[in-house]
Amino acid sequence: MAFLDEAHLHDMETSGPQFTWVTRRSNRGYMAARLDRVLVNDEFLDIWQSTSATVLHCLSSDHHPIILRLHETSGHVIRPFRFQHMWTTHLSFTHTVLASWAQLTTASCPIQLVTQKMKRLKPTLKNWNWVTFRNIYVEMEKASEALNVIQAESALYGDSDDRLLEEIDCTVRLNTVLNQHQINSTQRNRLQWFQDGDRNSQFFHTMNRFHKTSIGLSSLVVDGELIFDSGIISDSVV
C-alpha cells in the first residue's frame, strides 16, 4: 500500500487464521478478507524486536481479535549457541565432548538419539567454556602480569633455575591465551563481516529488524497444548 510507504510503516506478519474479517450472511454467502492489521514503525522495531502478533478466533464479532505480545530487546535475551573455534585449542575439550556424548539416553531412534545428545552437549560446553576460559581479556591480563612479575624478579635478584622454569611456564601460558584471543577475534570479525558487509543502508537494517519479528518462534504446540512461554519453548526444541 502506498500510504504505508509514505508513513514509513510496516505491516507485521501474523500467525493463526489468514483472514481477520468474515461474514456468513445468507443473502451474500461466505466472504472473508484481511481487514485488520498491525502497523509498526522503525522506532517500534528498534525497541520491540521480539514482537509477535497472533490472530485469534472470532466469537460474537465478525472480526478476529489480534493479540500483540511485546518483549523488550534491552531485556534478557537468550543468546544462540555458537561453537567457538578457540575451544579446540584446549586439551580438555575433546574429553568434555566425548564424556557428554557417551552418556546414556532414552531415545529409541537414531534421530532422537542425536537430538538428545546435542541438546545435552550445548549446556555442557557453555558451562565448560565459563569455567575454562571465563573472560579471555581477564585471563590475558593475568598471564601478562604474571610474566611481568617473574621477569622483574629475575632482573632484580638474578636468574635461577626455578625462575627460568617459571618464566617459561608464564610465557607459554600468555602465548596460549593470546592465540585463543586471536582465534576468537578472527571468528567474531568474520561473523561481523557476514552480518554487516556492505549492508550499510537504512533500508536494509530496517527490513532486517522487521524480518526478525516474523521468524521468531512465539508459540509451539507441546503435548497437544499451545504454549507461549519462551522458556518452555526453548526447552522443547534443540
Side-chain angles (χ1 to χ4, degrees):
M1 300 180 184
F3 85 92
L4 292 180
D5 295 334
E6 294 176 0
H8 303 288
L9 295 174
H10 309 282
D11 184 5
M12 280 191 61
E13 294 187 14
T14 59
S15 58
Q18 179 181 2
F19 302 109
T20 62
W21 172 84
V22 294
T23 180
R24 295 179 176 86
R25 296 179 183 177
S26 58
N27 60 336
R28 299 179 62 181
Y30 175 83
M31 298 179 62
R34 187 170 182 264
L35 300 181
D36 306 278
R37 301 169 184 269
V38 179
L39 304 180
V40 298
N41 59 13
D42 295 343
E43 289 75 14
F44 180 93
L45 293 174
D46 285 335
I47 301 175
W48 309 98
Q49 292 187 13
S50 299
T51 300
S52 62
T54 304
V55 179
L56 305 179
H57 294 287
C58 60
L59 298 176
S60 57
S61 172
D62 54 0
H63 285 266
H64 290 256
I66 302 177
I67 182 171
L68 190 65
R69 294 181 174 85
L70 306 178
H71 305 283
E72 272 190 284
T73 305
S74 57
H76 175 69
V77 178
I78 301 177
R79 297 183 179 276
F81 175 82
R82 288 193 177 94
F83 180 86
Q84 304 292 333
H85 293 310
M86 67 178 181
W87 293 346
T88 60
T89 64
H90 200 277
L91 296 177
S92 66
F93 170 73
T94 302
H95 173 74
T96 302
V97 174
L98 292 177
S100 174
W101 204 261
Q103 295 181 27
L104 297 178
T105 64
T106 58
S108 57
C109 72
I111 295 180
Q112 292 180 344
L113 177 66
V114 174
T115 300
Q116 289 186 11
K117 286 181 178 291
M118 291 184 64
K119 190 173 182 178
R120 184 174 53 203
L121 180 61
K122 288 194 297 183
T124 299
L125 286 178
K126 285 183 178 181
N127 294 334
W128 173 83
N129 176 65
W130 172 252
V131 173
T132 305
F133 292 96
R134 294 183 177 88
N135 189 322
I136 195 169
Y137 295 99
V138 174
E139 295 300 314
M140 287 172 54
E141 184 176 351
K142 289 181 178 179
S144 178
E145 179 64 22
L147 182 60
N148 289 336
V149 170
I150 191 62
Q151 288 181 346
E153 290 179 353
S154 297
L156 183 61
Y157 302 110
D159 288 330
S160 67
D161 293 341
D162 292 340
R163 290 196 184 95
L164 180 59
L165 291 176
E166 189 175 353
E167 181 175 354
I168 293 175
D169 290 340
C170 290
T171 302
V172 171
R173 175 57 184 161
L174 180 58
N175 284 331
T176 300
V177 176
L178 290 174
N179 182 52
Q180 292 167 350
H181 174 260
Q182 182 179 5
I183 294 174
N184 189 45
S185 298
T186 301
Q187 182 178 1
R188 287 179 179 271
N189 292 337
R190 190 171 298 153
L191 286 173
Q192 189 69 28
W193 186 87
F194 280 132
Q195 291 174 358
D196 296 340
D198 58 350
R199 308 169 182 177
N200 53 1
S201 65
Q202 181 180 0
F203 172 78
F204 170 81
H205 289 293
T206 298
M207 294 306 298
N208 187 43
R209 291 194 301 270
F210 179 62
H211 179 63
K212 289 180 180 178
T213 65
S214 62
I215 63 176
L217 191 61
S218 59
S219 61
L220 183 69
V221 176
V222 179
D223 297 330
E225 182 181 357
L226 185 60
I227 302 298
F228 294 98
D229 187 279
S230 60
I232 299 178
I233 293 175
S234 177
D235 292 338
S236 302
V237 299
V238 178

